[in-house]
Amino acid sequence: MMIERRTLLLGAAAFGALPAPVRAQAQQTIRLGVISDMSGAFADLSGPNSVLAVRQAVQDAASLGLKVEVVAADHQNKPDLAANIARQWFDRDGIDAVVDVPASSAALAVNGVVREKNKAFLASSPGTSELTGAQCSPNTVQWTYDTWMLANSTARATVREGGDSWFFVTADYAFGHSMEAEGGRIIAAEGGRVLGSARFPFPGTTDFSAFLLRAQASRAKVIGLAFGGTDMANAVKQANEFGLQKRGQRLAALMLFISEVHSMGLEAAKGLVCSESFYWDVNDRTRALTQRLKRNFNAPPPTMVQAGCYGVTLHYLKAVADLGVAAAKASGAAAVARMKAMPCDDDAFGSGTIRADGRKLHPAYLLEVKAPSESKGPWDYYKVLQTVPGEQAFRPMADGGCPLI
């Protein structure tokens, strides 16, 4: 298990309209623990650069006068390890909030520990909509995206363009199951059909040929890829080798990250349609954040998960300053309640709000991967097809089954 520590004392540099510091709170330390995948399938979309995004948020919150320590650990995408790390941090190391946690199964495990210990869970990587549904918690904020948003945007648009028969290739764990179910619901609602699915073991699968050949044999118009990380890059490359798209079957990436496009290359990824809540080149604020990360940490343009780590950490620190460090450390639920009560605004996502079920609302973008001839430079990979307001992009709160509502 990789553990890394950094302590940052925030000074007096200004950053936007932040809450006034609480007197004498600089003598107390807020401890943030980033649990991520540092070397596995999700390392590029989260991993070490999620930690850098958290540190950038700490730097950008300089005027708050807080003393913040950032600790990082590798959970290896294992739910039991993730839960054990969180429990150890809370019981022994005084961690106040856990950030990130890729792999939905790991996130659900951490979610339970956080609630038991009355800490805060600042979820960026996990996509399962259960975090704002049946397993919603007063201690958790789900910031960046979820399976409902991804399926609602990508599947709906694809069916409306004529892709009315689908076959899913799905990662066999909580996130993949949720993505397939949400996608199937949207497809049926739009008058389409799901002809079948093939589930592959996660983690550890590198050869997707058997699953792709089953999708090919189904003769579905669309092959829905319900997974992400390096698995996505491998599967798309293999699909191109089989010539699936040349034979008339379309690939729909229900979750795609810019890091995966970078790994595949535009020639392999061109034409893929996906949904994200952050793209580095959307506006001046997203470009400014990207430049700060490059200047301070030599980091590449952030994925939406890494941008989410930045946004949720910054907002948490604002809430801590507004509530008071002692109160925030005493109750993670109180800190999360203050996060919900305060309007959100940051350079990654702009303005937004957090609902009572813990769902952060901000716009979602329907994106298409550019052809090599359309790209004007490094990381110029997407064109924006649609911008969906947050209130429409995410599942209505009444439909989620959150017991807090």
Side-chain angles (χ1 to χ4, degrees), residues 6-320:
R6 293 290 187 275
T7 301
L8 297 173
L9 179 60
L10 304 188
F15 181 76
L18 298 175
V22 176
R23 177 170 294 182
Q25 65 186 21
Q27 279 70 39
Q28 298 176 288
T29 301
I30 288 293
R31 293 182 170 86
L32 305 176
V34 184
I35 298 179
S36 199
D37 174 7
M38 301 299 178
S39 57
F42 301 137
D44 289 341
L45 66 89
S46 56
N49 287 340
S50 283
V51 182
L52 297 183
V54 170
R55 292 184 191 154
Q56 185 63 59
V58 172
Q59 289 189 15
D60 285 354
S63 65
L64 297 177
L66 301 172
K67 184 178 180 182
V68 182
E69 183 179 64
V70 177
V71 178
D74 185 358
H75 71 351
Q76 302 171 35
N77 295 315
K78 298 177 180 178
D80 56 344
L81 180 56
N84 287 339
I85 291 169
R87 191 175 299 277
Q88 174 181 300
W89 277 353
F90 299 147
D91 290 346
R92 191 187 72 181
D93 300 326
I95 295 297
D96 300 299
V98 168
V99 190
D100 201 18
V101 194
S104 294
S105 51
L108 292 172
V110 169
N111 190 54
V113 177
V114 169
R115 185 168 189 171
E116 174 192 340
K117 300 296 184 179
N118 195 17
K119 302 297 183 178
F121 182 15
L122 313 179
S124 182
S125 285
T128 176
S129 52
E130 285 294 287
L131 284 175
T132 56
Q135 297 195 45
C136 72
S137 164
N139 299 73
T140 296
V141 171
Q142 189 174 24
W143 189 272
T144 308
Y145 73 104
D146 60 32
T147 53
W148 197 97
M149 181 273 277
L150 297 177
N152 180 61
S153 179
T154 305
R156 192 181 303 277
T158 303
V159 174
R160 289 181 178 181
E161 291 179 359
D164 56 3
S165 63
W166 287 61
F167 187 96
F168 281 101
V169 178
T170 302
D172 192 8
Y173 76 114
F175 170 81
H177 300 170
S178 180
M179 178 67 74
E180 181 182 322
E182 296 285 7
R185 181 185 58 80
I186 295 295
I187 292 162
E190 291 293 323
R193 296 178 300 148
V194 177
L195 304 183
S197 67
R199 294 182 174 180
F200 63 86
F202 175 88
T205 299
T206 57
D207 184 357
F208 294 87
S209 57
F211 310 104
L212 293 170
L213 289 173
R214 286 180 59 186
Q216 181 183 29
S218 75
R219 298 187 179 181
K221 293 179 183 178
V222 182
I223 301 174
L225 305 178
F227 51 93
T230 55
D231 291 340
M232 178 65 72
N234 291 336
V236 170
K237 289 177 182 177
Q238 290 172 29
N240 283 331
E241 291 171 3
F242 293 147
L244 297 187
Q245 295 191 81
K246 292 181 181 179
R247 293 187 176 98
Q249 288 182 299
R250 184 175 184 180
L251 298 179
L254 294 187
M255 184 175 74
L256 185 68
F257 292 87
I258 195 170
S259 56
E260 296 153 8
V261 176
H262 185 71
S263 176
M264 290 182 234
L266 291 181
E267 186 59 41
K270 64 183 179 184
L272 281 173
V273 174
C274 64
S275 299
E276 298 209 43
S277 57
F278 172 87
Y279 175 44
W280 72 270
D281 202 22
V282 164
N283 56 47
D284 288 343
R285 294 185 73 181
T286 58
R287 287 186 284 271
L289 171 61
T290 301
Q291 285 300 313
R292 289 200 302 279
L293 284 163
K294 181 178 181 180
R295 181 176 64 249
N296 295 334
F297 302 108
N298 196 31
T303 65
M304 69 169 167
V305 158
Q306 293 154 3
C309 288
Y310 168 85
V312 72
T313 299
L314 181 62
H315 190 64
Y316 171 77
L317 293 175
K318 292 178 184 179
V320 169

